[in-house]
Amino acid sequence: MLYFRPGNERGRANFGWLDSRHSFSFGHYYDPKHMGFSALRVINDDIVAPGAGFDTHGHRDMEIISYVLEGTIEHKDSMGHSYVVPAGEVQRMSAGTGVTHSEFNHSKEHSLRFLQIWIQPNQLGITPGYQQQKIEQRGVLTPLVTPDGRDGSLSMQQDASLYRIALAAGESLQLDTRQRPGYFHLIEGAVNINDHQLTAGDALGAFEESLQLEAHEPLVALWFDLPVNN
């Protein structure tokens, strides 16, 4: 099974201060064909105007990951954390029994762009938690968030792992989804995957077959290894 999600067909919300593209149904955007993939529920590609952001709001029972592409997030939450998250860093917040937080563009001059990712947890009612870290690329496939925080990654409450893929032009990579679902989201570059041509913003989910990647140009992508039953 292949699930192709063209970037130019994603939902869009533009509020002036926020320009967001939704891979899955979110907020005012609803499409029953795009409700998530396995435990992966949200990938929002958000561009936030200088000095603007999301006022204090609440979450519960969700693993929320922010991957900053450009600029810096200013984060504050009800757990007492007050941090900035610059480009290249990964942030994970387990909402658990309930947490409130705000996220603002730390800069008054430059836009912020980040991917907001929600993954449904495999256990409800856990104690809320927070992590952030800069994780350097180590080879082609680098773990960013895993169930047990292995190899220097952050951790999350789900049998799922998030990796960053980096390939040079002409390099190839095989991803095995014969036993577990996987979801590939291309951040930058161009790639051929099983005869699908992907450019920035495109995504491909798969289950019960392997994916063969052939990079046309240098690329950076996220790879989600996901649970079968969710």
Side-chain angles (χ1 to χ4, degrees):
M1 181 193 77
L2 290 179
Y3 167 82
F4 182 47
R5 186 62 166 129
N8 60 6
E9 295 181 8
R10 291 175 292 178
R12 186 174 183 183
N14 193 327
F15 302 102
W17 65 271
L18 170 67
D19 187 3
S20 182
R21 286 162 176 77
H22 307 324
S23 294
F24 306 114
S25 295
F26 185 89
H28 296 295
Y29 167 66
Y30 173 76
D31 187 333
K33 299 189 299 294
H34 304 294
M35 298 300 296
F37 192 85
S38 180
L40 177 59
R41 180 62 188 83
V42 169
I43 301 180
N44 291 347
D45 191 339
D46 291 341
I47 299 175
V48 183
F54 303 89
D55 289 322
T56 300
H57 58 283
H59 297 282
R60 65 180 301 124
D61 291 324
M62 192 65 71
E63 299 295 291
I64 300 172
I65 299 164
S66 296
Y67 183 75
V68 186
L69 301 174
E70 302 172 14
T72 303
I73 293 175
E74 182 177 346
H75 168 96
K76 294 182 180 179
D77 63 45
S78 55
M79 294 178 282
H81 303 116
S82 180
Y83 295 116
V84 294
V85 188
E89 293 203 4
V90 185
Q91 175 197 72
R92 189 274 304 155
M93 186 176 71
S94 294
T97 54
V99 65
T100 60
H101 75 137
S102 63
E103 296 170 295
F104 277 82
N105 183 347
H106 186 62
S107 173
K108 307 300 182 185
E109 300 176 353
H110 304 290
S111 294
L112 160 69
R113 182 183 172 206
F114 72 106
L115 298 179
Q116 180 183 171
I117 298 160
W118 293 9
I119 294 179
Q120 296 170 320
N122 57 13
Q123 182 178 341
L124 304 181
I126 66 172
T127 300
Y130 179 92
Q131 290 179 298
Q132 79 174 72
Q133 188 172 320
K134 181 176 179 64
I135 300 175
E136 300 290 349
Q137 190 72 23
R138 299 186 298 278
V140 170
L141 199 64
T142 298
L144 301 180
V145 191
T146 62
D148 53 4
R150 64 181 178 272
D151 299 327
S153 65
L154 306 183
S155 61
M156 68 171 141
Q157 187 66 48
Q158 178 55 273
D159 180 24
S161 296
L162 169 59
Y163 298 87
R164 181 173 56 223
I165 296 174
L167 292 176
E171 287 190 320
S172 62
L173 174 67
Q174 186 174 54
L175 297 169
D176 188 358
T177 59
R178 290 173 297 177
Q179 303 298 322
R180 287 168 58 89
Y183 190 86
F184 175 93
H185 179 92
L186 185 59
I187 296 173
E188 60 183 60
V191 64
N192 178 283
I193 306 180
N194 293 22
D195 296 325
H196 287 272
Q197 305 294 325
L198 276 67
T199 56
D202 292 344
L204 189 68
F207 185 38
E208 297 181 341
E209 64 179 283
S210 294
L211 298 181
Q212 182 65 38
L213 282 62
E214 303 287 344
H216 296 316
E217 55 188 67
L219 70 81
V220 176
L222 296 182
W223 172 247
F224 298 83
D225 174 69
L226 298 163
V228 175
N229 298 314
N230 201 86

